Each structure stands twice: as C-alpha cells, then as structure tokens.
Amino acid sequence: MGNFDIHIGEMLARNARMYPNEIALIERTPATRQRREITWRQFDEAANRFANVLAGKGVKKGDKVLHLMMNSLEWLITYFGIVRTGAWAVPLNFRFTASDIKYCADVAEPCLMVLSEEFVDRVASIKDDLVTVKDYIFVGAETPSFAQPFDRLMEKASIAPLRIQIHYDDPCGLYFTSGTTGTPKPILLTHKNMMCACITENAHHHQTRRDNFILIPPLYHTGAKMHWFGSFMVGGRAVILKGVSPEAIIEAISEEKGTLIFLLVPWAQDLLLKL
C-alpha cells in the first residue's frame, strides 16, 4: 500500500472529473439569510488556485501552514489547497487564546498562516513572536495591514494542478488536541489516515451521492471533517451551517433535503424540543 498514490487531494479531483456540474458544498448563514454554493469543478479549481498561491509564496512539500478559520466554503478550499502542495495543514481550535496559538506555532513552526476575521486581534497581539511565519493570508472583508487578501490572490492564480509527487504515506496534517487537560498535543496524520477515514466513515454510514450531509461542528476538529469524508468519498453534497440554532438546523434539513447530520448533545436536545 505504501506506493499507492491516491491521496485526499486527488479524491477531490476525481469528484470534479466525475461530477463536474453537481453541487459539492452549500454554505448557509442564518443570521443574514445568505446562501452560497459551489460545484465539484469549482471546488477543485479553487483548491488548485490556492495551491498555486501558496507555491508562489514558496510553500513546498513538508512545510507547515497554520489554518485558523471559522467554518465556511473557504475553510475547505484553503485546506485542500494546502495539502495539494504537499505541505502539512495545521488547523487550530477557534477557541484557542493568543497564547495557545503561539504555543502551537512554536511547536509546528509554520511558514505561513491563513486566518479569517474572527482571529485578527488574537494574531495581531502575538504576530511579532511568530518568528517562522513569513506570510499571512486573510479571508474576509477588511484585510489587516500585516496580511494579504485571499480574494485578490485567488483572482490572479492559475487553476492548473501542481505537479507534486504526493504518496499515500506522506504526512498531510498536524492536529492539536483541545488542551483541556494540559497544553494541546500535536498529532501527525498522513494521507493514508485520511483515506482510511473516508473508507471507514462510508462503511459505517453508507453514504451515497444522493445524500446531503448537514455539517455543523467546527471543521478544525477531525471528528467533524472525517464524518463528512464518508460523503466526500462518493461525491455526496454537504451543507456548511454558519450559526447554530434549532430553527436554523431544521430549516437546513428541510430546505436542502438533508439526509445525514452530525449533532452534539446540546444541539440534539434543543432540536428534539422543537420537533
């Protein structure tokens, strides 16, 4: 199996080849009643664009990219762009304080950080101490002075895939535990780990391309992303829900015809009370 070169980024490319015009991801923001969607082809091309953005900044195989964002379409676009360079994605808990973020950066030694608007103040307060981070890419409306805007970089980037040799056993992610019983602990995952998660989740839940996965928990957490991987593997669509309430969940299930959902206990209890 060590020479088997299908990796998690290639699975996205396969979906784009097989189902180019089918909807891959839907993003719903209940507070503003906004809805966005992208097809598998658009998802794949956007991931390639971001991989080329990173490569243009010198990111190479084996580098680490700190990923600090709230759930969104861009969360997954940037994640897949990172792993397509052969770099390690380092997704961080959105609850981490500035000191937690610095601790994780000291451990991971990232060369670049991707962040969204919710984290500007925290990152700005420690930026001078993040000695390995050479570039910051900002996803949001008002780009801070120390970063470059994601949208503008993406406009100029090529959709051509990078020619990087990525193998089944290559690392692709450094994940940190929550730190509830001490400092966060780094855990290294390979493309093989991610592919096994796809296969295991699909075997457990039997997702098909006709399913629609309502994705609520934060994507930095392996549980949320890997539960979705069972649908991702077969080209099933997913709904990213930004903002959680029983009403928003029920609306998403009803309007998007959701067939699978990953709920945590408080949400499940609130939802049952509304039904």
Side-chain angles (χ1 to χ4, degrees):
M1 297 293 285
N3 294 322
F4 189 55
D5 290 342
I6 292 179
H7 54 84
I8 198 69
E10 172 57 26
M11 186 170 285
L12 171 56
R14 185 207 62 174
N15 285 350
R17 291 192 297 270
M18 295 178 69
Y19 321 116
N21 300 317
E22 294 187 15
I23 300 302
L25 300 172
I26 299 161
E27 178 193 281
R28 293 173 62 100
T29 308
T32 58
R33 309 299 297 179
Q34 291 180 309
R35 182 185 184 276
R36 298 192 293 160
E37 63 181 38
I38 56 174
T39 65
W40 285 110
R41 175 184 287 153
Q42 291 169 328
F43 187 4
D44 180 59
E45 290 179 352
N48 281 340
R49 285 185 192 276
F50 194 65
N52 279 293
V53 167
L54 295 176
K57 293 188 171 297
V59 175
K60 60 187 183 302
K61 187 174 182 178
D63 284 341
K64 293 89 176 177
V65 176
L66 214 61
H67 189 284
L68 186 56
M69 296 174 62
M70 300 297 286
N71 284 13
S72 64
L73 296 180
E74 288 79 13
W75 199 109
L76 287 169
I77 288 168
T78 53
Y79 173 83
F80 279 92
I82 293 167
V83 298
R84 281 184 168 177
T85 68
W88 304 5
V90 187
L92 296 187
N93 187 332
F94 71 86
R95 295 185 180 89
F96 279 173
T97 64
S99 61
D100 291 328
I101 295 166
K102 181 185 180 303
Y103 170 81
C104 294
D106 288 344
V107 172
E109 298 182 335
C111 63
L112 184 144
M113 179 188 288
V114 186
L115 72 152
S116 58
E117 55 197 352
E118 297 85 358
F119 306 99
V120 171
D121 291 343
R122 275 175 269 181
V123 172
S125 71
I126 57 171
K127 184 178 70 68
D128 292 342
D129 297 319
L130 303 181
V131 294
T132 66
V133 180
K134 306 304 180 187
D135 290 288
Y136 295 83
I137 296 176
F138 176 76
V139 180
E142 297 183 16
T143 305
S145 60
F146 60 83
Q148 290 183 280
F150 169 82
D151 288 343
R152 191 171 302 169
L153 292 170
M154 291 286 280
E155 285 175 1
K156 302 174 182 177
S158 170
I159 62 171
L162 295 177
R163 301 300 179 187
I164 307 294
Q165 289 295 317
I166 299 176
H167 302 284
Y168 209 42
D169 292 318
D170 286 339
C172 72
L174 192 67
Y175 288 75
F176 282 85
T177 60
S178 65
T180 50
T181 57
T183 54
K185 309 299 189 297
I187 299 168
L188 180 62
L189 297 179
T190 66
H191 284 277
K192 182 177 181 179
N193 293 137
M194 296 300 185
M195 294 294 291
C196 287
C198 292
I199 294 166
T200 300
E201 285 297 323
N202 191 267
H204 285 171
H205 305 297
H206 310 291
Q207 294 102 315
T208 73
R209 190 158 56 90
R210 295 182 297 277
D211 281 309
N212 193 354
F213 194 110
I214 308 297
L215 184 54
I216 298 173
L219 284 162
Y220 77 81
H221 195 285
T222 55
K225 186 159 64 273
M226 289 183 178
H227 282 309
W228 166 67
F229 273 175
S231 290
F232 172 61
M233 177 181 177
V234 294
R237 68 176 59 183
V239 176
I240 299 171
L241 191 56
K242 297 179 66 176
V244 179
S245 69
E247 293 81 5
I249 295 170
I250 291 170
E251 284 182 359
I253 294 171
S254 175
E255 294 175 10
E256 307 294 350
K257 297 180 172 57
T259 58
L260 296 101
I261 189 167
F262 174 24
L263 289 171
L264 301 180
V265 173
W267 300 336
Q269 290 174 332
D270 288 344
L271 191 59
L272 287 172
L273 291 174
K274 296 289 182 179
L275 295 176

